[in-house]
Amino acid sequence: MRTAAIVADDRGLLCTESADRRWPPGGTIPPGTPLDAHGYPANRAVRPQLLQALGEEANDFVFGHLNESDTVGHDNGPESEAARACYRATDQLVGELLDALADRWAETVVAVVSDHDMQSRNTSDPIDPLANNTQGWWDAFIPDGGAALVHLVPGVDPREAGLALERIDGVETCVLSNDSLAIVGAQPGRIFAAPMYPAGGFHGAPLTARTVALVGGGHPAVARIAHAMTVRRPHLTDWAPTIAALLGIDLGPVDGLSLLR
Ligand SMILES: [Zn+2]
């Protein structure tokens, strides 16, 4: 099977090196590539590469990634005029990519997803778990916007510590990862204390785990996937097993559930 990975943000966890066609080539952004404000290739740089990959009939699977709306949302806020203009331009580009598939529509499945949602900060103070630690049950935390990974001191009852974390002002959820780690989620608009804050939008909170899920195409499987999505809201981990099922690949045990089951 021939595959292509055309991505603005080429991270190791995506394993894009296994694709037959990979851009940026070798994972290195070619000199002179137009970049967005966070240093990722701009949509206009990804566009011709993606159009070329979609135009190659030999490609059975094409993975594309457009990053600009993420950068503009983080910098200006997800509902800012700058972000909305970027969403419109991205939407137009997606339309162009779909047009490129028109002559093979009957055998095509298109899935458009995001990796996270985004929210704006309210005016309340950041949440600092170490400043709300009267019992000394935790000793460190790693913040990511509206979520934080909190390290519990050895010997502490994780359930009691979890309940105490939930009582901190601004905390909405606490999920125990194991006996020494808790994942704490903030209420909408709240952020965990960090050395640096995004100027506009941020993620991490339970609210921002919501993602885009659009499926279309002329392939008969599209109706089945669409039906499954009306019954159960897809989780990000469901896409890999769903795509694997479409391509006839056995992934073995994975976290998600195929929407084609
Ligand atoms: Zn982001």
Side-chain angles (χ1 to χ4, degrees):
M1 178 178 302
R2 235 190 102 78
T3 60
I6 313 294
V7 299
D9 184 0
D10 197 356
R11 299 196 179 201
L13 63 90
L14 294 173
C15 302
T16 49
E17 69 276 6
S18 63
D20 298 295
R21 172 192 274 282
R22 181 189 189 192
W23 192 92
T28 306
I29 301 169
T33 302
L35 305 176
D36 70 19
H38 290 184
Y40 299 110
N43 288 359
R44 67 181 185 282
V46 179
R47 177 185 168 276
Q49 307 297 332
L50 209 38
L51 282 170
Q52 193 172 343
L54 293 172
E56 287 168 2
E57 285 203 27
N59 284 330
D60 297 292
F61 176 64
V62 176
F63 176 74
H65 169 234
L66 302 165
N67 190 75
E68 261 184 59
S69 54
D70 181 74
T71 292
V72 178
H74 282 302
D75 286 353
N76 300 278
E79 305 300 340
S80 63
E81 193 36 58
R84 286 170 184 272
C86 182
Y87 305 153
R88 284 192 291 270
T90 306
D91 195 45
Q92 206 160 18
L93 173 48
V94 170
E96 224 185 313
L97 301 174
L98 297 180
D99 284 346
L101 293 164
D103 56 344
R104 278 167 294 152
W105 197 244
E107 56 198 76
T108 297
V109 179
V110 181
V112 181
V113 302
S114 67
D115 60 344
H116 58 74
D117 201 345
M118 212 182 263
Q119 59 173 335
S120 301
R121 246 178 101 179
N122 61 24
T123 53
S124 55
D125 286 336
I127 307 163
D128 183 351
L130 293 179
N132 294 271
N133 189 21
T134 41
Q135 284 100 340
W137 284 346
W138 44 89
D139 55 5
F141 72 102
I142 302 170
D144 176 20
L149 192 62
V150 177
H151 181 257
L152 306 180
V153 172
V156 165
D157 180 344
R159 283 201 46 212
E160 268 193 76
L163 290 170
L165 283 164
E166 275 180 356
R167 283 193 294 270
I168 296 176
D169 179 49
V171 169
E172 184 176 81
T173 56
C174 180
V175 179
L176 294 169
S177 180
N178 57 36
D179 280 356
S180 60
L181 287 175
I183 303 164
V184 185
Q187 290 165 357
R190 300 294 302 264
I191 197 165
F192 282 92
M196 269 173 63
Y197 300 104
F202 64 96
H203 44 63
L207 184 78
T208 62
R210 189 178 62 166
T211 52
V212 173
L214 298 170
V215 172
H219 191 283
V222 171
R224 286 171 59 203
I225 298 172
H227 175 72
M229 286 166 66
T230 64
V231 176
R232 178 171 62 87
R233 198 175 274 236
H235 187 273
L236 276 184
T237 53
D238 297 336
W239 295 111
T242 302
I243 293 164
L246 276 171
L247 297 174
I249 296 167
D250 181 8
L251 288 181
V254 292
D255 287 340
L257 288 173
S258 167
L259 295 160
L260 284 163
R261 277 185 352 142

